[in-house]
Amino acid sequence: MDKKKIMKKILLILILIIPFLNNIAKDQNPYLIRMHVIEIEGNTNAFIQANKDYYKPLAVQAVKDGKWAGWAMFRSFSKSNVFVFFHHYSSPEQYAKGGSIWGSDIAKKLGLKAKNNGTSTGQKSYASKEYIESYSPVDGAYIGSVGVTTKADYERVVKVSQKAYTKWRTMPSPKRGEIVRQYGEALRANKDSLGKLVSYEMGKSLQEGYGEVQEMIDICDFAVGLSRQLYGLTMDSERPNHRMYEQWHSLGLVGIISAFNFPVAVWSWNSMLALVCGDVCIWKPSEKAPMCGVACQNILQKVFKANKVPEGVSCLINGDYKVGEYLTKDKRVPLISATGSTRMGKIVNAEVAGRLGRTILELGGNNAIIITPSADMNIVLPGAVIIIALLIITPSADMNIVLPGAVFGAVGTAGQRCTSTRRLIIHESVYDTVKNKLKKAYKQIKIGNPLSAKNHVGPLIDTDAVEAYSETLRRVKEEGGKIIVAGGVLEGKEYK
């Protein structure tokens, strides 16, 4: 190894060690170090020139506020177009702002901070002593933190919501629909930023992240139309000169508990319809994707502020299942919509039914695709990998349709959807054909950073999900199952 390479390595070690020791001396977290490996297509010198204000080869700089935050870049020894970037941050706030995949521009557009209040009644929000820290399953990087709602803060939210309901329900439904329409427009303007946040915090592919925000936009459009169709029947009375009619009334406070796999869309499905019907909403997002909840609330409140909507029409609370129990046990909340596992749904249903409340439950499934000989495999198998819950495949099925559907239904959102394909029921006459085509399809699937359009599948949400996946594979083998496409937990620094 020549002297230049040795000097580069020594300098790199110093760059890593100096901030480590410096942070220890200042009693700060020494572990906030992020590394990126970037392969540049095209002229590398042009890239350096275009980014010279941010990336400076083998350089260390100080931050103006006095807190040390340095970074460095060096060219790979093996490839001239591959660069490794090291970023050092002296606080979680700096770490969240600098170097993350979705970047500070997106955080600014969505109104996100390194530390966010997790309890909000609209224009007002409340700090907390306890916070949920959100780390991306994509690269393990710290995204930000969200405050946990206390019982006292929850009571404050409910009281503000009750007051808001008395005003919101009297607003004509077409006017409520107009406010929802404006929220849909705001989502269109923020689709790119919110879609990337969904992908980065939850781990689904970028196209799925964009698709989830599009579902929010679509439900806004649907709700706008619904706001002018809240019809009631009219009928003759047996009494002379009398006529009868029915009029639907809003319920009041609607509690929404959403899951990590659809961190924004499920809330919108419930809340936009509830809002045009005259209800007010209290939302508890998943504690595994709390930043998405804050972002949605921030966008909505800008619309509400412009329309002078009463404080408390759409509220946000955060925390684990204990905070969710504030809603499920509260007699002041007549309707609970909860999305999650079947086990969770049974608990929620029993609790709410015990107080004669109402529930909307969207729970897990054990979805099957039935493949008949007439199925078109080019359509069925890809779809089965993504989302299809039930597909019947007969001997006459066109395999060009069957195969795409089957594969797509299973691997979409890394198989973490309630509608994910879990079983294939295949007619014996096409069994071998389907199996061989599936093997070929799975070998073409690329797993990696979901923000890259080259990859089809991103990471599971957390290490608990990985362990559950591994345990399922163990059970398959124990029960006599055969794995036809070798899988398992991916190894390497980029997968930790």
Side-chain angles (χ1 to χ4, degrees):
M1 183 179 293
D2 59 34
K3 290 183 179 181
K4 287 185 178 180
K5 291 182 178 180
I6 294 174
M7 289 302 296
K8 284 183 178 180
K9 286 200 170 185
I10 292 174
L11 183 56
L12 176 60
I13 292 171
L14 289 174
I15 289 170
L16 292 174
I17 292 177
I18 289 173
F20 183 90
L21 296 176
N22 185 71
N23 283 348
I24 290 177
K26 294 183 178 181
D27 195 27
Q28 296 173 337
N29 189 343
Y31 302 107
L32 298 177
I33 299 173
R34 178 184 285 123
M35 181 183 78
H36 302 290
V37 179
I38 300 177
E39 184 170 1
I40 301 167
E41 295 182 0
N43 191 318
T44 56
N45 290 325
F47 171 85
I48 293 173
Q49 281 297 116
N51 296 276
K52 62 183 180 180
D53 291 335
Y54 185 72
Y55 298 126
K56 296 187 178 180
L58 301 173
V60 178
Q61 293 190 344
V63 174
K64 292 180 180 179
D65 62 8
K67 293 182 179 179
W68 197 96
W71 39 263
M73 179 180 83
F74 72 90
R75 183 169 297 196
S76 168
F77 301 142
S78 59
K79 290 185 178 181
S80 61
N81 65 327
V82 176
F83 293 82
V84 180
F85 302 86
F86 286 93
H87 298 258
H88 312 275
Y89 303 92
S90 59
S91 69
E93 289 76 16
Q94 289 185 7
Y95 187 80
K97 291 178 181 178
S100 63
I101 290 177
W102 51 282
S104 58
D105 284 347
I106 293 178
K108 184 178 181 180
K109 289 178 181 178
L110 299 177
L112 297 175
K113 303 175 182 178
K115 204 170 188 178
N116 303 272
N117 292 339
T119 305
S120 169
T121 54
Q123 306 306 316
K124 298 179 181 179
S125 61
Y126 308 98
S128 176
K129 294 181 179 180
E130 183 181 355
Y131 283 81
I132 303 169
E133 292 187 336
S134 179
Y135 293 87
S136 173
V138 176
D139 57 7
Y142 172 83
I143 303 175
S145 60
V146 177
V148 175
T149 302
T150 64
K151 180 63 175 176
D153 284 338
Y154 172 78
E155 289 297 326
R156 185 186 307 181
V157 166
V158 171
K159 289 179 181 179
V160 174
S161 293
Q162 287 179 311
K163 184 178 180 180
Y165 173 58
T166 62
K167 297 179 180 180
W168 182 250
R169 67 181 180 181
T170 62
M171 181 183 290
S173 59
K175 290 188 176 182
R176 296 194 296 258
E178 166 58 18
I179 294 171
V180 170
R181 185 196 67 78
Q182 292 179 32
Y183 185 54
E185 291 301 311
L187 289 172
R188 286 182 172 90
N190 289 277
K191 181 177 178 179
D192 183 77
S193 298
L194 186 56
K196 286 178 179 176
L197 176 62
V198 169
S199 179
Y200 190 56
E201 187 173 34
M202 185 269 148
K204 63 174 59 179
S205 71
L206 184 57
Q207 289 307 312
E208 289 180 275
Y210 290 148
E212 186 166 345
V213 180
Q214 185 60 49
E215 290 187 36
M216 300 176 73
I217 295 168
D218 292 344
I219 199 65
C220 286
D221 291 346
F222 178 82
V224 172
L226 181 66
S227 69
R228 294 180 178 273
Q229 300 179 66
L230 301 180
Y231 305 133
L233 296 174
T234 60
M235 61 209 84
D236 287 330
S237 170
E238 60 186 18
R239 299 175 63 187
N241 301 319
H242 282 73
R243 198 163 186 82
M244 297 186 295
Y245 73 94
E246 65 179 14
Q247 180 177 352
W248 293 88
H249 293 275
S250 52
L251 287 172
L253 277 63
V254 174
I256 302 168
I257 302 173
S258 61
F260 74 89
N261 57 349
F262 282 88
V264 297
V266 170
W267 164 74
S268 68
W269 297 341
N270 288 275
S271 60
M272 296 304 109
L273 298 181
L275 290 176
V276 297
C277 290
D279 299 306
V280 296
C281 303
I282 301 175
W283 178 28
K284 192 201 88 66
S286 169
E287 62 272 26
K288 295 183 179 182
M291 297 288 282
C292 286
V294 175
C296 291
Q297 181 78 346
N298 289 344
I299 298 171
L300 180 60
Q301 294 315 314
K302 288 182 179 179
V303 175
F304 278 10
K305 184 177 181 179
N307 289 274
K308 298 180 180 180
V309 172
E311 189 77 7
V313 169
S314 181
C315 299
L316 182 72
I317 59 176
N318 271 280
D320 60 13
Y321 74 94
K322 295 178 183 178
V323 176
E325 288 179 347
Y326 296 161
L327 284 172
T328 58
K329 294 181 179 181
D330 195 340
K331 294 181 179 179
R332 297 167 294 183
V333 185
L335 174 63
I336 297 292
S337 175
T339 303
S341 68
T342 301
R343 181 191 64 82
M344 180 276 291
K346 290 179 179 179
I347 296 172
V348 170
N349 189 56
E351 186 67 53
V352 178
R355 58 179 177 83
L356 297 180
R358 305 181 187 185
T359 56
I360 300 174
L361 302 175
E362 187 177 358
L363 311 177
N366 188 22
N367 311 303
I369 292 179
I370 302 174
I371 304 177
T372 66
S374 62
D376 184 338
M377 294 301 173
N378 288 331
I379 297 179
V380 174
L381 289 186
V385 175
I386 290 292
I387 191 171
I388 296 173
L390 177 60
L391 185 62
I392 300 176
I393 307 177
T394 63
S396 60
D398 185 340
M399 296 302 168
N400 292 326
I401 298 176
V402 172
L403 289 172
V407 175
F408 207 50
V411 304
T413 319
Q416 297 173 109
R417 294 175 172 175
C418 58
T419 52
S420 293
T421 303
R422 297 183 63 179
R423 297 174 295 147
L424 294 179
I425 302 173
I426 308 170
H427 193 279
E428 61 182 1
S429 65
V430 293
Y431 177 81
D432 289 333
T433 300
V434 173
K435 183 177 72 172
N436 292 332
K437 286 183 176 289
L438 274 175
K439 289 170 65 176
K440 183 179 179 180
Y442 267 86
K443 288 179 180 179
Q444 297 175 19
I445 293 173
K446 294 182 179 180
I447 302 172
N449 188 330
L451 295 177
S452 171
K454 297 179 181 179
N455 296 322
H456 305 112
V457 181
L460 293 173
I461 185 65
D462 54 24
T463 54
D464 289 340
V466 175
E467 179 55 35
Y469 163 77
S470 300
E471 175 60 26
T472 300
L473 292 182
R474 287 193 288 268
R475 288 184 57 188
V476 166
K477 294 177 181 179
E478 290 174 0
E479 296 177 13
K482 296 180 180 179
I483 298 176
I484 62 173
V485 178
V489 179
L490 298 175
E491 301 292 340
K493 291 182 179 180
E494 66 270 34
Y495 301 113
K496 292 191 180 296

